[in-house]
Amino acid sequence: MPSNLIPTIVLGLTISACFTPPKKPAADLAPQQLSLYELNEISIQTFFSENGSSVAGDYVFSMSAESIFLDGEATDGGVSITLPFAMGPDGFELALRSTDIKPNGFLDSVIEMPEFNARITASNTSGMYIRGTSAETGTQHAYLNADVCLQIKNIYKPLLLSYSDPLVLEEMELSMFQGMSVGLLASLIGKAVGSELTLTLDRVEGDLFYYSTDFAHLGYNVIKEVLSQVDEDDLLDFATSESQELGNMLAIFLSLDDEQIEPILPAFMNLFNIESEYVLGLTDKNEIIAVSYSLHISALPPEEMVDHFMELQNVLPAEFGLPNATKEQSLARIEQCHLDGVLGFKIDLFGGIKNLDLSSIAVGNFDFEKPEKAIDYSEMVGPQLPMIESMLNSQLQNGALFEEDADQSEVF
């Protein structure tokens, strides 16, 4: 090698490095704040976008409750569901097994889980292969060719995109209710939570972003948003029809001004330990994906709870009729409630990807040869797709019409 070639190579690499922008650190790509609407959109895009990112792991949903009063006694119960999956640029694989569905406590006697094992493999090139085994049906194998899978994808894509817009989703839910009802109020609260609760970035660990939210103080904005969407007289009539006492309490609440209402909810929620965490991840293509969420709710120990109870007593207007009590009297009552088990509850929720793997999955990884034993349903499903597409288009159009009518509605 000529002696002057090495310095030339080094010089060329040095110059090229000067013109190559350094890769941004993950922390620079983490949004500082997110609404729950934006989080919902990220969650949907994580599994239904077509950007070709690779994500794998175990999608887990778990719920557990301790010392929850049912039928007059403290009861424990919960359930855990695990779905192993992998997604690549042009396909996915998903498994569902009865052994991965685990009820416990009182739910163990309520949920009867038959034994089964199922797996789905899908590829843009090969189509979809579904196989499963159960005691009732034995082993079944089904197949859809790539053309039918593409037609299904093209039909459902507009629907998925509309559902990735939380506003459209909420409007479609609200269209199911006529007049004041528990369902309508629940949907209005969900809509307000999505728009008013803000997630704030706590920390960045590698390619993972951790967020939390302040339920206590942001909850006041949720209440104001819900009240702005309903007629107060209708709300009072509905509350009174459910319970005269509830109607009386609501009438007092609605008579208060903003300065009186604002501190009540934080003071009440501070009686409990409420912890939430939302985790986002960054793929190798700098795409932000939803990883997990978790929520923990429990009562505070008596010594801590009594301090917050005294704060609630101070900010709660006298119209509510809460009898004044000394700190010693309040502590005695709270301790008795703990002894009775009323305040010993714990609730934990988790949903998200465990054993997360963001390693690149090659194109063609999920390709397969059509199994000879699989029943080909392509000719059965294909002719039905135009009718399904027509029905879905009607649903989307009705949702759009409802959104237009909502502007004229007394509720909205």
Side-chain angles (χ1 to χ4, degrees):
M1 180 180 289
S3 60
N4 63 346
L5 183 58
I6 294 178
T8 302
I9 294 174
V10 172
L11 179 61
L13 291 174
T14 303
I15 292 174
S16 64
C18 293
F19 288 98
T20 303
K23 184 179 179 181
K24 282 189 175 183
D28 291 348
L29 299 172
Q32 295 300 305
Q33 287 190 325
L34 289 167
S35 70
L36 286 190
Y37 272 161
E38 291 170 320
L39 177 65
N40 184 64
E41 184 173 3
I42 290 173
S43 299
I44 293 176
Q45 291 297 327
T46 296
F47 294 101
F48 297 109
S49 66
E50 296 183 358
N51 49 28
S53 293
S54 300
V55 182
D58 297 322
Y59 192 88
V60 176
F61 171 79
S62 64
M63 174 189 67
S64 65
E66 298 179 17
S67 299
I68 301 298
F69 262 72
L70 292 175
D71 296 329
E73 62 180 23
T75 306
D76 300 339
V79 65
S80 174
I81 302 172
T82 301
L83 296 171
F85 78 97
M87 298 192 315
D90 61 343
F92 70 87
E93 190 163 64
L94 172 69
L96 178 59
R97 303 175 292 236
S98 56
T99 53
D100 290 331
I101 303 175
K102 300 176 180 177
N104 59 74
F106 75 93
L107 286 179
D108 195 18
S109 60
V110 174
I111 300 176
E112 296 184 6
M113 187 59 58
E115 291 187 9
F116 65 88
N117 193 333
R119 183 175 294 271
I120 302 173
T121 302
S123 158
N124 290 349
T125 301
S126 305
M128 181 179 292
Y129 175 36
I130 307 171
R131 59 275 198 200
T133 301
S134 72
E136 293 184 359
T137 63
T139 301
Q140 302 287 326
H141 299 265
Y143 171 77
L144 293 174
N145 65 39
D147 289 338
V148 171
C149 289
L150 180 60
Q151 292 178 58
I152 294 173
K153 197 173 184 180
N154 290 337
I155 289 173
Y156 278 92
K157 184 178 178 180
L159 186 66
L160 292 175
L161 290 175
S162 69
Y163 272 73
S164 70
D165 181 350
L167 289 173
V168 173
L169 179 59
E170 295 292 348
E171 300 296 356
M172 293 176 70
E173 288 181 353
L174 292 172
S175 66
M176 297 186 298
F177 303 106
Q178 299 295 326
M180 193 64 61
S181 66
V182 174
L184 175 61
L185 289 175
S187 293
L188 289 173
I189 292 171
K191 182 179 178 182
V193 166
S195 61
E196 300 300 328
L197 282 189
T198 302
L199 308 180
T200 302
L201 181 66
D202 281 340
R203 67 188 189 280
V204 176
E205 295 181 4
D207 291 332
L208 298 179
F209 312 147
Y210 294 81
Y211 293 81
S212 63
T213 189
D214 185 350
F215 286 106
H217 291 88
L218 293 176
Y220 174 61
N221 296 332
V222 173
I223 291 176
K224 287 203 304 183
E225 178 63 21
V226 171
L227 291 178
S228 71
Q229 301 293 310
V230 299
D231 182 272
E232 290 188 1
D233 290 336
D234 290 343
L235 184 60
L236 276 171
D237 289 343
F238 171 73
T240 303
S241 68
E242 295 291 312
S243 164
Q244 184 62 53
E245 183 178 359
L246 178 62
N248 294 339
M249 296 290 286
L250 180 61
I252 295 172
F253 182 84
L254 294 176
S255 69
L256 304 177
D257 57 36
D258 286 351
E259 291 184 359
Q260 291 174 297
I261 294 175
E262 189 168 2
I264 294 176
L265 186 62
F268 174 76
M269 295 188 71
N270 284 337
L271 297 174
F272 306 95
N273 178 28
I274 303 176
E275 300 174 359
S276 65
E277 186 173 72
Y278 305 81
V279 183
L280 303 181
L282 191 68
T283 69
D284 57 353
K285 295 185 178 182
N286 286 341
E287 176 204 10
I288 296 177
I289 64 170
V291 176
S292 66
Y293 70 90
S294 59
L295 175 66
H296 169 84
I297 304 174
S298 60
L300 292 173
E303 295 77 11
E304 293 182 45
M305 180 178 283
V306 69
D307 291 332
H308 293 292
F309 181 79
M310 300 309 292
E311 294 174 8
L312 175 62
Q313 187 174 262
N314 290 335
V315 301
L316 201 63
E319 291 88 342
F320 281 95
L322 181 68
N324 286 327
T326 65
K327 184 174 181 178
E328 290 74 18
Q329 291 170 330
S330 300
L331 178 59
R333 292 173 184 172
I334 292 172
E335 287 178 336
Q336 186 59 52
C337 287
H338 270 272
L339 289 174
D340 294 339
V342 176
L343 293 177
F345 68 88
K346 292 181 182 178
I347 299 173
D348 287 285
L349 297 174
F350 176 86
I353 306 170
K354 291 188 175 181
N355 304 317
L356 177 66
D357 185 354
L358 296 176
S359 302
S360 295
I361 297 177
V363 172
N365 179 77
F366 299 104
D367 290 353
F368 58 88
E369 296 292 332
K370 178 185 174 182
E372 294 182 3
K373 54 191 172 184
I375 300 175
D376 191 340
Y377 288 94
S378 304
E379 293 186 3
M380 180 185 300
V381 174
Q384 305 298 321
L385 294 179
M387 179 183 67
I388 295 174
E389 182 176 18
S390 177
M391 291 172 58
L392 292 177
N393 286 337
S394 297
Q395 181 180 356
L396 290 176
Q397 291 171 3
N398 290 338
L401 289 174
F402 172 78
E403 200 168 355
E404 293 176 5
D405 293 340
D407 294 333
Q408 325 261 325
S409 169
E410 292 182 2
V411 176
F412 298 93

